[in-house]
Amino acid sequence: MKQNEQKERVKMDEVMNDSLAKDRDIADLMELLKKFHDKDGMEKLNRTVEYVDSLEQTLSAMLEQLTDMRVELKGVREQNDYLMTRAERTVKDALTEQVEKAEAKVQELHGKLVEIKDFIKQKAHELVEEAKHRGRKALKKLSEVLYIREGLEKIRGQADQMLGSLDELSERIDGYNEQMMMQSDKRAPSESEVAKSAVDNENAQPLGTYEEEMQRFTDSCVAEGRGYGSNAEAFEAFKNYYDKRTKVAGQAGEIGREMMSGNKDSKQR
């Protein structure tokens, strides 16, 4: 994960852990309402605060789910990434992109919620301060704190829509992961067997560049459905293959040179 994403994640987690119900200004306003026996105001303020905290918990759960998806996708056949087909990489990239877009949307919703939350805190503070001078009359402005449900409900509606999409995306990732694990569970031949088989099949081909030989080996493995437990294991198999290919090519060169030398000797005689 990128560094700026990590910072944003930490910042978001810290805000989400800061329950509005525990805010000092909200607590002071609740005490003020209690002092003036405004039960209706207390109930409405309490419902608003609970609604905000509930939304934050929802967004936090969504973010955690997306984090799990990102980790799961990152680990999908990561050990066999060296030999993943182009189709497999395309699917993995597409799923990763969808997770990133969903994360960005959650961050956007959270940003809107933070604005509303800060507004509530500020208004609560202003009401408490004003009540020190105007008494109960200051509570006429309580409506400015309470009548913000429309903005909160818009966030809730978008969050609920995303929850369904996230469940569907999670199922797709699980299915993809399961498919890759089934392929990975197939018994991979030993390095020596792989190297010998690859060399036997490729000896008829002239030795190419290092990159060409790597591509040829990879294509052969993908075509035959061979998998490896790690990138290191896959590279070791290729190394054995390449070493033997180089050795065979060298021996062929020596034989060719001997034949050329023999032809020259016979001509001289």
Side-chain angles (χ1 to χ4, degrees):
M1 189 182 299
K2 297 178 181 179
Q3 188 175 5
N4 61 337
E5 291 177 337
Q6 289 178 319
K7 291 181 179 179
E8 185 66 25
R9 180 68 47 77
V10 171
K11 180 181 178 181
M12 184 172 177
D13 290 342
E14 288 176 349
V15 174
M16 285 185 168
N17 290 329
D18 180 22
S19 170
L20 187 58
K22 298 178 181 179
D23 183 76
R24 184 61 190 172
D25 290 318
I26 297 297
D28 289 344
L29 179 56
M30 194 68 75
E31 284 296 321
L32 184 63
L33 292 169
K34 184 178 181 181
K35 175 182 176 181
F36 291 119
H37 306 289
D38 189 345
K39 293 184 178 180
D40 182 61
M42 290 176 65
E43 291 177 0
K44 289 180 178 179
L45 177 60
N46 188 56
R47 285 198 298 268
T48 299
V49 168
E50 288 180 347
Y51 198 84
V52 171
D53 284 347
S54 174
L55 263 176
E56 284 205 304
Q57 291 171 8
T58 298
L59 292 176
S60 180
M62 291 169 68
L63 185 62
E64 184 175 354
Q65 185 179 7
L66 284 164
T67 299
D68 291 341
M69 289 184 199
R70 181 188 285 275
V71 172
E72 184 176 4
L73 267 176
K74 187 176 184 298
V76 168
R77 282 229 26 218
E78 190 175 51
Q79 69 274 20
N80 281 346
D81 192 63
Y82 179 80
L83 292 178
M84 284 180 71
T85 65
R86 180 175 298 178
E88 289 169 355
R89 291 180 191 277
T90 300
V91 173
K92 182 176 179 179
D93 290 344
L95 290 173
T96 300
E97 182 179 357
Q98 290 180 42
V99 170
E100 291 174 349
K101 288 182 177 179
E103 283 182 319
K105 184 61 178 179
V106 173
Q107 296 284 3
E108 179 186 342
L109 291 178
H110 177 255
K112 294 178 180 178
L113 183 60
V114 167
E115 290 179 3
I116 293 177
K117 188 175 178 180
D118 289 342
F119 172 81
I120 294 175
K121 290 180 180 180
Q122 181 62 31
K123 285 299 178 181
H125 178 77
E126 290 175 3
L127 283 173
V128 172
E129 291 299 313
E130 190 172 350
K132 293 178 181 179
H133 306 287
R134 299 184 60 201
R136 190 184 185 91
K137 293 181 180 179
L139 296 182
K140 291 182 179 180
K141 295 184 179 180
L142 182 62
S143 59
E144 296 180 15
V145 176
L146 302 179
Y147 295 143
I148 56 173
R149 290 295 290 268
E150 183 178 351
L152 292 172
E153 287 171 0
K154 284 183 179 179
I155 296 175
R156 168 65 71 183
Q158 294 181 58
D160 288 344
Q161 288 181 351
M162 284 195 67
L163 282 172
S165 300
L166 292 189
D167 288 340
E168 183 179 337
L169 180 57
S170 180
E171 289 179 2
R172 291 179 60 192
I173 292 175
D174 289 342
Y176 175 68
N177 190 20
E178 184 177 350
Q179 180 183 356
M180 294 301 99
M181 289 178 65
M182 288 176 62
Q183 292 185 17
S184 183
D185 286 341
K186 293 179 180 179
R187 179 183 177 274
S190 66
E191 294 173 5
S192 59
E193 290 174 339
V194 172
K196 183 178 184 302
S197 174
V199 170
D200 289 343
N201 292 334
E202 301 294 342
N203 274 343
Q205 299 291 333
L207 182 67
T209 64
Y210 185 86
E211 290 76 14
E212 289 172 343
E213 290 298 321
M214 179 179 289
Q215 186 61 52
R216 182 177 295 169
F217 174 75
T218 301
D219 292 343
S220 175
C221 289
V222 171
E224 296 176 17
R226 294 197 302 267
Y228 300 93
S230 65
N231 285 351
E233 183 180 338
F235 182 76
E236 186 64 25
F238 167 71
K239 182 176 179 296
N240 290 338
Y241 156 80
Y242 186 74
D243 288 346
K244 292 188 177 183
R245 282 280 287 146
T246 304
K247 184 177 180 181
V248 169
Q251 291 173 347
E254 287 294 333
I255 294 174
R257 283 192 291 273
E258 290 177 2
M259 292 179 63
M260 289 290 293
S261 178
N263 290 337
K264 288 180 179 179
D265 291 342
S266 61
K267 289 180 180 180
Q268 290 176 356
R269 292 174 184 171

